[in-house]
């Protein structure tokens, strides 16, 4: 009996120590650094003008009457709101939410684009087999018209209840117009090609700089680089005196550093992540989950693009490596918030490279502006032309260089994938076809 009393006493002591540790951890205040990060990340994102969300949400579908569009959006808003009310651990949650338009309208025909934003030389690809591209695009005209119309919008902001399980717009569709523009040039309709490239670049810049979502910003950056590449290929095959459409005015210009900030997108991403994580409704979740402290810890992990230090890096065009200053999960305050600490640590590193993609898109626009300057200021020697270029285009942390053969202008990239080297684009009128 004496041994049993020792065992029971030991168990009670362990229970008391655990309970005391849990209570002490739960009562600890949120650290100041996390409180400050929470204030920073909860600042609302506001944009003026027309919202492109509805047009992008319904981009897939042909023949949707204008009068039906608000009703479809409202129905999907209600579906997403209903989805968001369900716990993340609810076994009854449907794996995929269908949009209302999917049940009533035909989607644009499938297509494997001949050119993608990451393609090396889209014009050369299409020149080798223009007939195949023309046949593939024959059923895409309604979609291409909708893509062209996106340039009339001013920002992208998702009005639905934030929920990571809700569907997103079909961003991949935006790549299809690149093939159409390159094909127009190959077929001799260079003015149409240039107008289309300028039009799509306006859309891309809007998504990259005036959106509240991480995906829209990254898509915009990729779209900028793809269109800049094809623009350079087209201009290389045209005489320097070939006029640019008026719609291109002001499109291919170096953006201000504030426009390359990932902060608005990260604030939208923070809202999406934390709204979903706040719905942890398992019976014993309270023992390992503190929603308020988890939100503050997540803010600390995601604030990197919104700090004053990040702004200074962007101004200098140095590579912005977002390193989240997340403390160890083994701290005492994590005893009563094990799940929140672990999830915060897992999510933090995934955002490190996105800021670099926006910086590279900005560099590609500077390279495009430089090519247009060279086109407007012809010199007999490319090196002399580069030396005469305005310093704000030529110099900086990533100065522009001529390729070894003197026929391309290039700039270093920060977000290099695999063995990708500098962004290298042909000089104007260096491939003029006789």
């Amino acid at each position: 009996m004496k041994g049993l009393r020792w065992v029971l006493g030991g168990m009670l002591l362990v229970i008391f120590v655990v309970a005391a540790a849990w209570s002490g951890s739960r009562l600890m205040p949120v650290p100041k650094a996390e409180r400050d990060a929470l204030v920073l990340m909860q600042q609302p994102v506001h944009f003026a003008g027309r919202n492109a969300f509805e047009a992008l949400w319904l981009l897939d579908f042909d023949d949707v009457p204008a009068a039906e569009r608000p009703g479809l959006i409202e129905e999907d808003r209600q579906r997403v709101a209903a989805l968001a009310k369900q716990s993340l651990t609810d076994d009854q949650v449907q794996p995929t939410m269908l949009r209302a338009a999917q049940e009533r309208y035909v989607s644009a025909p499938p297509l494997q684009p001949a050119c993608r934003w990451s393609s090396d030389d889209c014009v050369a690809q299409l020149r080798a087999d223009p007939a195949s591209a023309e046949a593939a695009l024959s059923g895409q005209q309604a979609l291409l018209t909708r893509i062209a119309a996106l340039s009339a919008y001013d920002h992208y902001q998702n009005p639905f209840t934030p929920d990571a399980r809700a569907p997103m717009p079909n961003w991949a569709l935006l790549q299809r117009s690149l093939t159409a523009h390159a094909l127009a040039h190959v077929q001799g309709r260079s003015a149409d090609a240039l107008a289309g490239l300028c039009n799509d670049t306006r859309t891309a810049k809007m998504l990259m700089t005036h959106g509240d979502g991480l995906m829209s910003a990254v898509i915009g950056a990729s779209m900028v680089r793809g269109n800049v590449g094809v623009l350079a290929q087209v201009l290389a095959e045209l005489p320097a005196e070939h006029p640019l459409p008026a719609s291109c005015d002001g499109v291919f210009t170096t953006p201000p550093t504030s426009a390359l900030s990932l902060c608005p997108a990260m604030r939208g991403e923070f809202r999406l992540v934390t709204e979903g994580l706040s719905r942890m409704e398992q019976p014993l979740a309270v023992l390992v989950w503190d929603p308020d402290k988890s939100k503050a810890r997540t803010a600390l992990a995601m604030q990197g693009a919104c700090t004053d230090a990040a702004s200074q890096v962007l101004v200098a065009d140095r590579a912005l490596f977002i390193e989240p200053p997340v403390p160890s999960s083994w701290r005492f305050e994590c005893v009563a918030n094990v799940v929140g600490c672990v999830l915060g640590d897992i999510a933090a590193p995934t955002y490190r490279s996105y800021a670099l993609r926006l910086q590279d898109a900005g560099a590609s626009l500077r390279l495009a502006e430089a090519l247009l300057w060279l086109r407007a200021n012809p010199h007999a020697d490319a090196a002399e032309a580069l030396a005469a270029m305005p310093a704000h285009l030529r110099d900086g942390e990533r100065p522009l260089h001529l390729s070894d053969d003197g026929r391309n202008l290039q700039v270093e990239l920060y977000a290099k994938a695999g063995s990708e080297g500098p962004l290298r684009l042909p000089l104007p009128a260096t491939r003029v076809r006789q």
Side-chain angles (χ1 to χ4, degrees):
M1 292 294 294
K2 185 176 181 180
L4 180 60
R5 286 197 298 272
W6 276 104
V7 171
L8 292 175
M11 292 176 62
L12 290 173
L13 179 61
V14 169
I15 292 173
F16 173 79
V17 170
V18 170
W22 185 91
S23 299
S25 174
R26 180 59 63 128
L27 293 173
M28 286 186 67
V30 176
K32 182 179 185 305
E34 295 181 12
R35 295 199 308 270
D36 292 345
L38 187 60
V39 171
L40 186 64
M41 296 308 292
Q42 285 184 324
Q43 292 181 21
V45 179
H46 293 301
F47 300 107
R50 300 180 64 198
N51 188 356
F53 176 80
E54 177 184 306
L56 282 159
W57 185 259
L58 298 174
L59 187 65
D60 314 45
F61 308 105
D62 291 339
D63 304 322
V64 179
E68 298 292 329
R69 298 169 73 88
L72 293 171
I73 295 295
E74 174 59 22
E75 189 169 338
D76 286 338
R77 185 196 65 76
Q78 294 178 15
R79 293 185 184 191
V80 172
L83 179 67
K85 290 180 180 179
Q86 298 177 338
S87 168
L88 292 174
T89 56
D90 191 336
D91 293 336
Q92 303 302 314
V93 174
Q94 296 296 320
T96 302
M97 190 202 94
L98 290 178
R99 289 176 289 169
Q102 289 176 271
E103 302 167 343
R104 303 168 202 174
Y105 297 98
V106 177
S107 299
L111 172 71
Q112 289 295 327
C115 298
R116 298 181 181 275
W117 296 322
S118 57
S119 297
D120 288 333
D121 199 331
C122 178
V123 169
Q125 287 178 245
L126 291 186
R127 197 174 292 285
D129 186 12
S132 295
E134 183 176 15
L137 290 170
S138 62
Q140 304 288 322
Q141 293 309 309
L143 171 63
L144 295 175
T145 299
R146 293 195 296 276
I147 293 175
L150 292 173
S151 65
Y153 292 92
D154 302 294
H155 67 275
Y156 170 84
Q157 197 159 17
N158 190 332
F160 292 167
T161 303
D163 194 284
R165 299 163 296 182
M168 293 188 296
N170 191 347
W171 298 110
L173 293 175
L174 295 174
Q175 292 198 88
R176 298 187 184 184
S177 60
L178 194 65
T179 299
H181 303 328
L183 180 63
H185 169 67
V186 168
Q187 293 178 333
R189 296 178 288 112
S190 298
D192 292 341
L194 291 169
L197 290 166
C198 294
N199 195 56
D200 279 3
T201 304
R202 286 188 187 276
T203 298
K205 291 170 70 174
M206 176 269 291
L207 292 173
M208 183 176 74
T209 64
H210 289 76
D212 69 342
L214 184 61
M215 183 58 68
S216 61
V218 172
I219 289 294
S222 299
M223 193 174 178
V224 163
R225 282 193 52 191
N227 281 274
V228 164
V230 175
L231 173 80
Q233 295 157 30
V234 170
L235 294 182
E237 294 191 354
L238 293 176
E241 61 272 14
H242 190 286
L244 290 178
S247 60
C248 292
D249 292 347
V251 175
F252 294 99
T253 56
T254 306
T257 54
S258 59
L260 301 177
S261 173
L262 193 66
C263 184
M266 289 303 296
R267 283 180 172 140
E269 185 74 6
F270 172 75
R271 182 167 174 252
L272 177 68
V273 170
T274 55
E275 286 290 330
L277 293 180
S278 66
R279 297 188 293 274
M280 184 81 69
E281 298 178 2
Q282 289 285 7
L284 299 179
V286 65
L287 299 178
V288 293
W289 174 256
D290 186 319
D292 293 333
K293 289 183 177 179
S294 297
K295 180 177 286 190
R297 187 178 176 88
T298 302
L300 186 67
M302 298 178 69
Q303 71 166 348
C306 297
T307 62
D308 291 338
S311 298
Q312 294 171 12
V313 170
L314 289 179
V315 168
D317 192 30
R318 299 192 304 271
L320 178 56
F321 293 102
I322 300 176
E323 298 292 341
V326 179
S328 169
S329 298
W330 295 101
R331 296 186 306 155
F332 182 66
E333 53 262 43
C334 289
V335 170
N337 189 32
V338 174
V339 172
C341 290
V342 171
L343 289 178
D345 291 350
I346 291 174
T350 62
Y351 302 108
R352 287 176 180 169
S353 68
Y354 292 126
L356 302 179
R357 301 188 195 185
L358 268 66
Q359 287 184 278
D360 284 349
S364 72
L365 286 167
R366 177 165 65 95
L367 186 54
E369 185 177 1
L371 291 175
L372 293 176
W373 185 91
L374 291 173
R375 194 169 185 265
N377 299 272
H379 288 67
D381 181 78
E384 291 179 2
L386 182 59
M389 184 180 295
H392 75 276
L393 294 178
R394 181 190 63 239
D395 300 330
E397 187 72 17
R398 290 186 280 179
L400 303 185
H401 295 287
L402 290 172
S403 60
D404 292 340
D405 62 4
R407 296 175 63 83
N408 299 276
L409 196 61
Q410 59 191 41
V411 68
E412 291 297 322
L413 297 175
Y414 287 146
K416 295 182 178 179
S419 59
E420 184 180 2
L423 177 61
R424 183 180 295 111
L425 299 178
L427 295 175
T430 53
R431 303 177 182 177
V432 176
R433 300 177 63 84
Q434 302 301 324

